[in-house]
Amino acid sequence: MTTRVRFAPSPTGGLHLGGARTALYNFLYAKKHNGKFLLRIEDTDKKNPPSNGQTIDDNTESIVQDLQWLGIEWDGEHVLQSARHDKHTKVADQLLEAGKAYRCYDSVLRDSKDAARTEARNRGDVFKSPWREKSHKDAPRNADASSVVRLKVPHEGTTTLDDSVKGTITSPNAQIDDFVLLRSDGSPTYMLSVVVDDYDSNITHIVRGDDHLTNTFRQQALYNACLSANIFSTQQAKPAYAHIPMVLDEDGHKLSKRTGSSSIGEFRKQGFLPEALTNFLLRLGWGHKDLEIVSMPQAIELFDLKGLNAAPARVSYARLEHLNAHYLRTLPLDDLQARLQPFLPASADSDARRRFFQGLEGLRQRATTLQNLVALGSFYFEKPTLPLPDATARKVWDEALLNLPPQALTRLDENLAQTNDADWQAHALAQTMRQTAQSLSLGFADLAKPLRAVCTGRMDSPDISEVIAVLGKRQTLERLEQALAQPQP
Ligand code: GLU
């Protein structure tokens, strides 16, 4: 039997950490078993507008793009659940015909939000409509009497679920309410659509958040009703389940879809790499020994439902940054250059870009995101303004002027100026700086630090001899001399 799994997001928002993690686990499971991974957009709740101010189409588009960007590729075209409307209503009609569902005409109860259900639940009860036992001929005669279609859930018996994460759970059927299959406007509910779609797409495993656990018992009741009405075949095995615990934020609260901080699109804009995010998501709820850095091919090889954690995972953004820093350091340089393009300042000319890319190896050792990498190398794009805006760098420069022998920095400037273009390389420049310091009975850092301050405007730059080698002679001397020409502090 071919493994077939799916990711079924509702386009009520964009893609967030929780959903992306579900998608990733399904994708890995399919790849590991040479199976199929399907994408189904559950766009059936047309009445409630998306919570993020976007349209359903915009959200669908951004979910699709974010999944592609993460490298989570699905098989075939993605399916819009709304396109299967007729099939869903047909199944509801078949259930009605078979006596497995009934029309509920109670005007108070027909609300799609199912207020009666909520009310019963609040009473600690399970909702059963009076229309469950009434015959069709009792239906109101007035032409506009509308109804909802409910599943006739058996009162007796139990349902047992063997879940890869939760273990075996048994629940009495009497606790399942007669939920709505078709709303009063005739539109199918999520509960109906999801079961029919999973059956028709031959889904073998459902891996999803454990917020769906109670839905699963309802969906089992519906599945059983379809089986006994011969709408579904007993030849097709029921899907197996894995309900993964929620993702919690750093404070241990449920991660909200509405929080910008967990949106995949936001991480992308900030310059996180898809490799880092997928590695992060993988480890957020799954483990293999003490492996931390796991590439996608390795994840495909190792992934297993048994490795899913039963306890909720807590997001650590520091951990994500750490992983991102790792991938920034290890990407091939030309690949990194290509990914940096959208982050470069629009004003940077080709010389500035060339300098930045030449200095990339040093810069990327310290960077956490692509955005941060560009910020760290801002001095390759433009001269730091004077007086230096960064307080630490300004202090280093001012103190050097006060504490070093009066001619020290001028001597450094002269010696650098005498270095010919062919020797303007990190090693030779470090040598010049060392010799100058020695001739003044100073340490290397006494000169290197103020030079770093005026050339980069910050104190966390890569090795200063490498920086000035990349900056070039003209830029270096200009920065040093302009600072020397400033009035003394
Ligand atoms: N559309 C549902 C959601 O976004 C998921 C349905 C499912 O995985 O069965 O929560």
Side-chain angles (χ1 to χ4, degrees):
M1 185 176 61
T2 311
T3 297
R4 291 171 69 86
V5 293
R6 78 327 187 249
F7 176 49
S10 306
T12 48
L15 189 66
H16 286 65
L17 288 177
R21 186 186 64 160
T22 303
L24 176 69
Y25 292 174
N26 278 287
F27 167 81
L28 293 174
Y29 193 71
K31 294 288 151 202
K32 162 86 180 250
H33 295 282
N34 286 320
K36 298 282 180 214
F37 169 59
L38 312 181
L39 174 61
R40 181 174 73 227
I41 305 288
E42 303 208 314
D43 60 341
T44 44
D45 192 3
K46 300 273 188 201
K47 279 209 207 99
N48 293 317
S51 54
N52 62 347
Q54 303 290 315
T55 65
I56 287 179
D57 290 346
D58 290 342
N59 284 335
T60 301
E61 181 61 26
S62 88
I63 291 171
V64 161
Q65 280 178 7
D66 286 345
L67 285 172
Q68 282 169 336
W69 176 75
L70 285 170
I72 301 176
E73 297 280 352
W74 53 96
D75 292 290
E77 291 291 313
H78 68 268
V79 172
L80 295 182
Q81 190 162 58
S82 55
R84 293 183 30 86
H85 173 280
D86 293 353
K87 179 62 199 277
H88 303 145
T89 49
K90 184 174 164 213
V91 170
D93 289 343
Q94 288 172 302
L95 286 168
L96 274 174
E97 227 164 85
K100 302 288 171 193
Y102 62 92
R103 285 195 181 276
C104 168
Y105 292 91
D106 195 314
S107 58
V108 190
L109 305 179
R110 70 181 181 221
D111 182 354
S112 66
K113 282 252 189 274
D114 224 353
R117 204 169 95 188
T118 318
E119 203 185 287
R121 202 184 303 131
N122 291 345
R123 282 198 314 268
D125 229 350
V126 165
F127 169 73
K128 306 279 174 186
S129 159
W131 286 92
R132 178 182 167 106
E133 307 306 340
K134 284 192 195 174
S135 133
H136 205 55
K137 61 182 182 338
D138 299 326
R141 301 232 173 263
N142 52 329
D144 63 347
S146 55
S147 60
V148 295
V149 174
R150 294 183 181 277
L151 185 71
K152 199 171 193 174
V153 180
H155 286 155
E156 57 294 327
T158 56
T159 300
T160 296
L161 185 71
D162 279 318
D163 188 276
S164 300
V165 181
K166 306 279 174 191
T168 303
I169 313 170
T170 300
S171 174
N173 293 337
Q175 278 182 8
I176 306 171
D177 51 9
D178 284 357
F179 57 88
V180 173
L181 303 177
L182 292 184
R183 300 183 186 96
S184 54
D185 63 0
S187 63
T189 58
Y190 153 72
M191 213 64 82
L192 170 63
S193 310
V194 76
V195 172
V196 176
D197 287 351
D198 284 340
Y199 178 83
D200 283 352
S201 5
N202 251 299
I203 295 302
T204 57
H205 296 75
I206 295 180
V207 180
R208 61 183 178 187
D210 66 3
D211 50 336
H212 283 287
L213 195 56
T214 46
N215 284 342
T216 298
F217 285 94
R218 292 197 184 104
Q219 288 162 17
Q220 290 287 307
L222 176 54
Y223 199 105
N224 291 337
C226 289
L227 279 178
S228 58
N230 290 323
I231 304 167
F232 290 179
S233 159
T234 48
Q235 300 295 306
Q236 184 172 321
K238 276 188 182 172
Y241 286 89
H243 286 92
I244 46 181
M246 296 282 91
V247 179
L248 304 179
D249 65 17
E250 292 191 304
D251 301 324
H253 302 122
K254 197 182 146 205
L255 206 62
S256 164
K257 251 195 186 185
R258 288 158 189 84
T259 331
S261 64
S262 73
S263 138
I264 299 298
E266 272 307 307
F267 288 120
R268 174 186 190 166
K269 273 191 222 138
Q270 288 168 24
F272 283 91
L273 301 174
E275 290 88 340
L277 266 166
T278 49
N279 192 152
F280 176 70
L281 291 170
L282 175 71
R283 291 289 292 108
L284 198 61
W286 176 90
H288 179 83
K289 299 183 182 156
D290 52 3
L291 265 188
E292 284 299 339
I293 305 285
V294 194
S295 67
M296 198 69 116
Q298 202 182 5
I300 291 172
E301 202 184 302
L302 297 174
F303 188 78
D304 189 339
L305 296 179
K306 285 195 200 77
L308 292 172
N309 300 337
R314 214 181 255 223
V315 165
S316 155
Y317 294 107
R319 176 95 211 109
L320 174 59
E321 276 194 359
H322 176 79
L323 283 167
N324 207 52
H326 165 82
Y327 286 99
L328 283 176
R329 284 196 304 272
T330 49
L331 272 188
L333 271 177
D334 53 349
D335 187 354
L336 180 57
Q337 286 190 14
R339 298 192 204 206
L340 278 161
Q341 291 299 338
F343 293 87
L344 300 179
S347 58
D349 61 18
S350 58
D351 269 354
R353 284 168 192 246
R354 183 187 43 74
R355 281 197 297 267
F356 174 73
F357 286 142
Q358 252 179 292
L360 206 49
E361 189 56 61
L363 290 172
R364 72 165 166 172
Q365 302 305 323
R366 295 162 173 74
T368 50
T369 62
L370 293 169
Q371 214 174 58
N372 169 247
L373 180 45
V374 172
L376 284 177
S378 60
F379 55 85
Y380 286 130
F381 297 113
E382 54 191 26
K383 265 189 246 170
T385 51
L386 291 169
L388 297 170
D390 178 271
T392 320
R394 191 168 63 245
K395 186 159 174 254
V396 166
W397 176 252
D398 288 349
E399 284 182 355
L401 288 181
L402 284 174
N403 302 335
L404 293 180
Q407 77 286 25
L409 290 164
T410 329
R411 180 88 62 84
L412 175 64
D413 180 54
E414 284 162 8
N415 290 349
L416 288 173
Q418 275 167 23
T419 309
N420 58 39
D421 287 344
D423 285 338
W424 195 268
Q425 281 166 22
H427 184 73
L429 291 165
Q431 186 70 5
T432 305
M433 287 165 64
R434 202 169 299 113
Q435 282 166 359
T436 310
Q438 270 165 9
S439 73
L440 294 158
S441 307
L442 295 172
F444 179 80
D446 293 327
L447 296 182
K449 278 182 161 185
L451 185 62
R452 181 194 294 262
V454 290
C455 286
T456 71
R458 54 198 306 154
M459 298 314 294
D460 58 356
S461 74
D463 182 282
I464 187 59
S465 37
E466 280 171 27
V467 169
I468 60 172
V470 173
L471 274 179
K473 187 170 170 180
R474 192 175 56 80
Q475 277 285 335
T476 305
L477 296 179
E478 212 172 276
R479 293 178 189 201
L480 179 56
E481 285 164 16
Q482 278 174 0
L484 283 168
Q486 288 282 298
Q488 295 271 336

